[in-house]
Amino acid sequence: MTAKKHLPRLVGITSVLEHPITQNFLIPLFAVVLSFAVGAIFIVMVGKNPFEVYSILFSQTLGSTYGIGQLLFKTTPLIFAGLSVALCFRAGLFNIGAEGQLQIGAFLTALVGMKTFGVPFYLEIPLLMLAGMVGGGLWGFIPGYLKAKTGAHEVINTIMLNFIATALVSYFVTNLYNVPATVHTPPISPAGRLPRFDAFVSGFQGSPVNFSIFVALIAALFVWYYVDRTRYGYELRVVGLNSKAAEYGGISVSKNIILSMTIGGAIAGLVGTNFVMGYKYYFEEGFSTGTGFMGIAVALLGNNNPFGVILAALLFGMLEYGGLVINTMVPKELVSILQAIVIIFVISSNKIFRKILTNFLKKRTLSIND
Amino acid sequence: MPYAIELLNITKRFARTVANDDVTLKVLAGSIHALVGENGAGKTTLMETLYGLYQPDAGAIRIHEKEVTIKSPHDSIKLGIGMVHQHFMLVPPLTVLENIVLGAETTKNFFIDLKKTTAEISELAEKFSLNVPLTEKVENVGVGIQQRVEILKAIYRKADILVLDEPTAVLTPQETVQLFKILAELKEQGKTIVLITHKLNEVMAISDHVSVMRKGKIVGHLETPKTNPQEIAQLMVGRPVLLRVEKSEHKAGAPVLGVKELTYVDRRGVEALKSVSLDVASGEILGIAGVEGNGQSQLVECITGLIRPTSGSITINGVEIVGLNAREVFARGLAHVPEDRIKRGLVIDLSIKENLILSLQALPQFSSRLSMKRAEITSNAELLIQKYDVRPPDPNAITRGLSGGNQQKVIIARELSRNAEVIIASQPTRGVDIGGIEFIHRTLVTARDSGKAILLVSADLNEILSLSDRIAVMYSGRIVKIFPDNKVEESELGLYMTGSNQELIREAK
Ligand SMILES: Nc1ncnc2c1ncn2[C@@H]1O[C@H](COP(=O)(O)OP(=O)(O)OP(=O)(O)O)[C@@H](O)[C@H]1O
Ligand SMILES: [Mg+2]
């Protein structure tokens, strides 16, 4: 009978658990905190003080303008890749192909850039972005088309297309479009360069962080608006959640599969804005160390929500750059371990979080009742 | 007599609702206990708590006079509790046999002992006359058969307490009679049965006791022989309910929907529709009676543009619609209440308001080129929720959390809001409570009176008989008989439906 008195509060907590803020933000945050705690155990195991390591990790990334610049520079490609995966997820598709899409996209950006000297910057910049989107979009379209028309699973096909993309780009860069004795292309037209932050704030000196971060933020805004606010996004979600109902409602499942893979690919293809247009001004083989795959983790941690993706990309960006910083103190494998722990905890956190909260509540209610 | 089940002061809350509020329910061993109540009253939740799918927030459970904690269905199965769910829990790509043994396999050297299992199950099926094609994949059999598979599954697990959540919703009257024979037999053998149903005649026919739930609470325990349907209905709804459809003479106008010599051969080469012809005029309800799986689903899917007929023609106001997709058919003035709400009619992970615009999303009313009109979508939902009494009355509530009947109301609301000339209603009141049925029937009759052409497909003969102006009977892919009015005996319909009157059928051809 006493339980009844506490009813309103319990109802409150249940709805807190199911609230979007909890789902999108608190639970991932909980996962991150938990994984740092577990990461600390590993740090102790290699004989270091976790507080010291973490404090360096944070101070070196967030404690200086330069550090922030580096962090943002690492974050930018992760946002593109994360958005690409997240958008496809919403349509019920598992895009493992962001890596291949961004390779093709970035290469095409460089290729068009080196062939278009003399074009004014206000045309050149959009042109190069478009080239990246076309390249990535094509690489998304192919598995999308195959899935829609033949039912071939996108996971297999995107993995295969990753191999093809890497090999294709490597062939072009080493045989056709390279600067002799290097594995990179000749430079793009200077008109296609995106401004770096250090041109405006001297504190960023030495860091290649550039305006492509804004392109990434706009892309996130676009994905949010497209998925949540337009009817095309509504149709995409219906297809992702229940393709039979989509059919019933006259929504073309195959069209939406192709469309979302293409858009997802195009977003991944924008990675070239950061590296080619903002940093090196050429395409270099091996410039992406698995960014496309990290995109999967980013989308997962960000709960496939574009703003969640930005936050998740920041975290993984920090781990990536921070990994370089603490390299001298702990083995660099530790950072990989930490990243993996974050992913594992994110996947399992919803349940863990629920359990802890419910147990806590039960105990509280019991002790009050006694 | 001892109690088999005692649910004591059970409270179960979800985010927005208290589904069970201090509910106490005691079921005598060896009895058949009916549990009734409006959609969303909390019947399913209570029984799923007993089955271990939910943990109660408060309260205790006793089974055979012993206090127990049921953490999962694993525990409840061990306690001898079997449950046949409202929404089937079968694995579609597996065969019927595999679904029955799943999780309870008899193994021989690590392999399922197929021979022995098949024999066992065939014997059980025989004993309870639960005819199922053991080697067919579940995705290829109709809902009626899936239901039988579920019952067989529970019996195979040696359940001694059997909970059936609206088992008759998908059965024909004949099948229901059969099921009740089975239940009576089970009771005879000392098993305890809890039966959730919306059909009061069933309560009267088979139960010993009946408990009525309303808005999460128990509002009455009655002994069946000492009560009547009117009393139960009043307890359920909280007001007197009309148990019959009130309907004026029909004034049929010109034919609107025309189906001519429609044939459909499915992917496996089965001729599901064999030269089906029928007309539905404006201002009439044509009811299609038939045992599920005799081509009704294919007929509806052909008309609504979901599958393409092999040959034949379908017209709306004389305009051919074969070859159009679902969206284009909707645009020609058709509304469609699909038979399977979870699979087809709803996206259960979206909110009520988003489901209320499914297939209408492209209308200028709800979206412009660049964005959805969110205010309009919300006010549309508020209006329909109020008009159709959907609970909870929250446009943003996720449809998954709605009770079965309320999910159905969402679909009805959407389809009738189209204001289409032709309405195809497939099992429109399956799993809907009496208050809701009354409402849906009244809505359909009003639509008819305003000149709509309505094609009603239902496995519920009562529904067919009380709503239809003309009745067509489908058997084995054919229309075997069209009655010009609804003055038919149930038994006569039954003969046509089961194809047992071959002579009559041959005569009809
Ligand atoms: N998983 C869930 N999450 C949130 N709310 C739920 C959930 N399941 C049920 N509810 C809510 O609990 C209440 C009781 O639902 P329940 O399914 O038990 O009703 P019911 O009596 O079985 O109705 P019906 O006759 O329509 O099947 C409803 O208001 C429903 O919206
Ligand atoms: Mg129910």
Side-chain angles (χ1 to χ4, degrees):
Chain A
M1 301 307 105
T2 32
K4 259 209 158 135
K5 243 173 40 205
H6 307 291
L7 199 145
R9 198 191 48 215
L10 275 170
V11 170
I13 301 263
T14 328
S15 60
V16 163
L17 251 182
E18 265 146 37
H19 197 281
I21 291 188
T22 317
Q23 291 289 327
N24 287 328
F25 188 71
L26 285 182
I27 292 182
L29 187 71
F30 167 77
V32 170
V33 171
L34 212 61
S35 44
F36 270 86
V38 175
I41 300 173
F42 282 91
I43 297 176
V44 171
M45 272 163 56
V46 297
K48 289 281 163 18
N49 178 351
F51 292 103
E52 206 178 311
V53 173
Y54 284 148
S55 86
I56 289 177
L57 183 73
F58 285 111
S59 65
Q60 293 288 309
T61 46
L62 299 170
S64 69
T65 318
Y66 171 77
I68 291 176
Q70 289 298 78
L71 167 62
L72 293 180
F73 177 71
K74 295 283 186 199
T75 300
T76 308
L78 291 172
I79 296 180
F80 288 124
L83 288 175
S84 168
V85 178
L87 181 93
C88 294
F89 253 132
R90 298 298 293 271
L93 299 163
F94 199 7
N95 179 15
I96 317 258
E99 183 67 20
Q101 291 148 14
L102 64 85
Q103 293 274 358
I104 297 284
F107 175 71
L108 224 61
T109 300
L111 190 64
V112 172
M114 60 188 253
K115 301 275 189 200
T116 49
F117 278 78
V119 177
F121 76 91
Y122 51 86
L123 289 182
E124 180 76 2
I125 289 176
L127 180 70
L128 296 194
M129 288 187 190
L130 189 70
M133 285 166 62
V134 168
L138 175 72
W139 232 243
F141 170 83
I142 298 170
Y145 183 85
L146 290 174
K147 164 116 184 179
K149 298 295 168 193
T150 71
H153 205 290
E154 76 276 7
V155 167
I156 310 284
N157 284 336
T158 48
I159 292 175
M160 292 307 137
L161 279 164
N162 283 343
F163 291 132
I164 299 178
T166 315
L168 210 60
V169 163
S170 160
Y171 171 76
F172 280 126
V173 174
T174 44
N175 293 299
L176 292 176
Y177 299 107
N178 67 327
V179 171
T182 71
V183 285
H184 62 75
T185 62
I188 60 167
S189 154
R193 295 182 179 185
L194 284 176
R196 288 192 186 174
F197 283 15
D198 62 8
F200 305 92
V201 179
S202 59
F204 285 113
Q205 200 69 54
S207 165
V209 60
N210 59 76
F211 272 42
S212 64
I213 180 86
F214 298 123
V215 180
L217 295 180
I218 291 168
L221 213 61
F222 166 81
V223 170
W224 165 75
Y225 188 84
Y226 182 82
V227 173
D228 280 12
R229 288 288 185 267
T230 71
R231 81 168 146 94
Y232 311 104
Y234 172 84
E235 292 176 358
L236 177 146
R237 283 183 288 142
V238 170
V239 168
L241 291 169
N242 182 353
S243 59
K244 284 248 174 198
E247 238 173 51
Y248 158 84
I251 298 168
S252 165
V253 176
S254 47
K255 198 182 93 190
N256 273 285
I257 288 176
I258 297 174
L259 194 66
S260 43
M261 281 302 285
T262 308
I263 297 177
I267 293 171
L270 279 171
V271 161
T273 54
N274 192 43
F275 187 85
V276 178
M277 297 168 71
Y279 178 31
K280 289 280 169 99
Y281 311 127
Y282 54 68
F283 179 90
E284 185 172 25
E285 199 193 338
F287 81 101
S288 153
T289 47
T291 307
F293 300 113
M294 285 315 283
I296 300 169
V298 169
L300 210 60
L301 179 63
N303 206 11
N304 298 320
N305 171 311
F307 306 113
V309 163
I310 295 175
L311 293 178
L314 274 168
L315 174 76
F316 281 99
M318 183 159 92
L319 290 174
E320 212 172 308
Y321 175 62
L324 298 175
V325 176
I326 57 175
N327 221 346
T328 49
M329 302 183 62
V330 294
K332 72 172 193 302
E333 285 79 10
L334 195 87
V335 175
S336 308
I337 292 177
L338 204 56
Q339 286 178 336
I341 294 174
V342 172
I343 297 168
I344 292 169
F345 272 105
V346 169
I347 300 171
S348 32
S349 61
N350 210 324
K351 221 160 180 188
I352 302 176
F353 195 70
R354 234 159 234 280
K355 226 181 193 135
I356 291 178
L357 215 89
T358 341
N359 281 348
F360 171 77
L361 277 170
K362 278 220 172 109
K363 261 187 214 130
R364 286 274 302 259
T365 336
L366 282 182
S367 60
I368 291 169
N369 287 350
D370 286 345
Chain B
M1 222 197 287
Y3 288 116
I5 310 168
E6 288 164 277
L7 295 161
L8 305 169
N9 305 92
I10 299 286
T11 296
K12 174 70 200 167
R13 304 178 195 91
F14 293 110
R16 290 188 168 86
T17 11
V18 184
N20 293 150
D21 187 359
D22 201 13
V23 170
T24 295
L25 177 70
K26 298 181 183 185
V27 179
L28 287 174
S31 73
I32 298 183
H33 198 114
L35 184 59
V36 299
E38 284 186 285
N39 293 132
K43 307 177 295 289
T44 298
T45 306
L46 186 66
M47 286 303 124
E48 290 189 340
T49 306
L50 171 67
Y51 192 56
L53 286 171
Y54 294 124
Q55 302 304 306
D57 295 318
I61 301 176
R62 284 160 61 86
I63 297 296
H64 293 305
E65 319 258 275
K66 268 203 287 289
E67 174 129 9
V68 293
T69 16
I70 302 175
K71 285 223 152 79
S72 71
H74 189 74
D75 293 346
S76 59
I77 290 169
K78 266 200 299 201
L79 288 164
I81 303 171
M83 179 155 182
V84 177
H85 297 270
Q86 188 171 6
H87 303 125
F88 307 139
M89 310 235 167
L90 299 170
V91 189
L94 294 186
T95 65
V96 167
L97 180 79
E98 287 164 338
N99 266 284
I100 293 173
V101 298
L102 196 68
E105 303 89 345
T106 341
T107 51
K108 187 168 104 187
N109 310 328
F110 295 106
F111 295 103
I112 296 183
D113 189 346
L114 214 64
K115 242 195 197 145
K116 186 161 160 247
T117 322
T118 313
E120 273 172 17
I121 292 175
S122 305
E123 195 183 321
L124 271 183
E126 184 109 355
K127 182 168 165 197
F128 297 106
S129 41
L130 285 161
N131 254 327
V132 290
L134 286 180
T135 50
E136 187 65 86
K137 285 187 179 166
V138 163
E139 61 195 355
N140 296 332
V141 305
V143 256
I145 291 176
Q146 294 183 12
Q147 170 78 74
R148 284 183 235 164
V149 176
E150 285 278 19
I151 296 174
L152 209 55
K153 201 170 130 185
I155 296 175
Y156 182 68
R157 281 169 177 62
K158 309 200 164 54
D160 139 71
I161 295 170
L162 192 60
V163 179
L164 298 130
D165 195 350
E166 299 188 30
T168 59
V170 292
L171 303 183
T172 59
Q174 283 88 346
E175 289 172 309
T176 304
V177 170
Q178 254 183 23
L179 172 70
F180 283 2
K181 275 197 198 128
I182 297 163
L183 296 187
E185 173 68 31
L186 287 168
K187 175 183 154 185
E188 199 70 9
Q189 294 173 13
K191 306 212 186 238
T192 309
I193 294 161
V194 179
L195 179 73
I196 301 179
T197 180
H198 286 296
K199 298 178 185 165
L200 300 183
N201 56 344
E202 295 177 4
V203 173
M204 299 312 294
I206 189 145
S207 71
D208 302 307
H209 298 265
V210 50
S211 296
V212 184
M213 286 188 79
R214 193 147 85 85
K215 297 188 176 161
K217 291 196 172 70
I218 293 274
V219 290
H221 293 292
L222 305 163
E223 272 177 60
T224 312
K226 294 184 186 157
T227 183
N228 58 63
Q230 207 57 47
E231 185 186 12
I232 302 174
Q234 180 140 2
L235 267 176
M236 273 168 72
V237 186
R239 64 174 164 85
V241 185
L242 213 61
L243 292 174
R244 282 204 52 82
V245 187
E246 273 192 347
K247 197 158 120 265
S248 56
E249 260 325 286
H250 88 293
K251 298 181 264 315
V256 182
L257 176 71
V259 175
K260 215 166 266 131
E261 284 161 21
L262 202 67
T263 304
Y264 175 71
V265 181
D266 69 15
R267 258 179 300 152
R268 292 174 301 153
V270 177
E271 204 176 3
L273 291 176
K274 297 167 189 158
S275 190
V276 169
S277 298
L278 53 86
D279 285 310
V280 189
S282 89
E284 78 163 347
I285 297 178
L286 174 67
I288 297 204
V291 177
E292 219 146 326
N294 276 286
Q296 300 96 316
S297 312
Q298 287 83 354
L299 174 63
V300 167
E301 293 194 348
C302 280
I303 297 175
T304 53
L306 289 170
I307 57 177
R308 218 194 148 110
T310 313
S311 67
S313 105
I314 306 168
T315 52
I316 292 180
N317 284 325
V319 181
E320 185 64 48
I321 59 164
V322 167
L324 302 184
N325 69 25
R327 193 204 295 267
E328 292 160 336
V329 174
F330 279 133
R332 295 287 191 288
L334 188 119
H336 175 202
V337 178
E339 64 171 352
D340 194 329
R341 55 176 167 257
I342 304 286
K343 254 206 214 142
R344 272 245 194 259
L346 293 170
V347 185
I348 54 173
D349 290 311
L350 290 183
S351 61
I352 295 180
K353 69 175 181 194
E354 285 173 305
N355 271 294
L356 282 170
I357 59 159
L358 182 63
S359 82
L360 302 167
Q361 75 277 358
L363 295 185
Q365 188 188 349
F366 295 125
S367 69
S368 61
R369 216 173 163 66
L370 285 182
S371 73
M372 309 265 284
K373 295 180 177 163
R374 300 200 305 140
E376 280 83 347
I377 291 169
T378 305
S379 62
N380 172 65
E382 279 164 351
L383 201 82
L384 292 177
I385 284 173
Q386 205 209 352
K387 186 167 168 197
Y388 291 84
D389 188 27
V390 178
R391 281 178 237 171
D394 174 4
N396 294 313
I398 299 299
T399 320
R400 181 187 287 281
L402 266 57
S403 72
N406 277 297
Q407 291 176 340
Q408 186 69 6
K409 283 187 192 169
V410 171
I411 296 177
I412 300 271
R414 177 184 68 217
E415 293 310 308
L416 290 178
S417 74
R418 280 177 205 285
N419 216 2
E421 251 183 288
V422 179
I423 299 168
I424 313 287
S426 209
Q427 322 291 355
T429 57
R430 174 174 288 169
V432 178
D433 66 42
I434 44 172
I437 292 175
E438 185 193 22
F439 179 81
I440 289 169
H441 283 177
R442 216 172 340 110
T443 315
L444 286 174
V445 170
T446 313
R448 174 199 81 150
D449 292 342
S450 69
K452 312 280 186 212
I454 300 174
L455 183 71
L456 169 74
V457 178
S458 177
D460 181 345
L461 273 195
N462 269 326
E463 180 161 88
I464 292 281
L465 284 167
S466 55
L467 278 184
S468 311
D469 299 309
R470 289 190 297 140
I471 298 173
V473 185
M474 268 191 101
Y475 175 70
S476 173
R478 278 180 221 283
I479 302 272
V480 290
K481 178 81 181 170
I482 296 185
F483 295 95
D485 53 34
N486 63 353
K487 299 185 181 46
V488 199
E489 285 298 311
E490 225 177 89
S491 55
E492 196 183 350
L493 272 184
L495 287 180
Y496 283 102
M497 281 168 63
T498 49
S500 45
N501 203 334
Q502 287 299 330
E503 218 145 87
L504 282 174
I505 289 167
R506 240 173 275 130
E507 198 179 295
K509 269 189 267 168

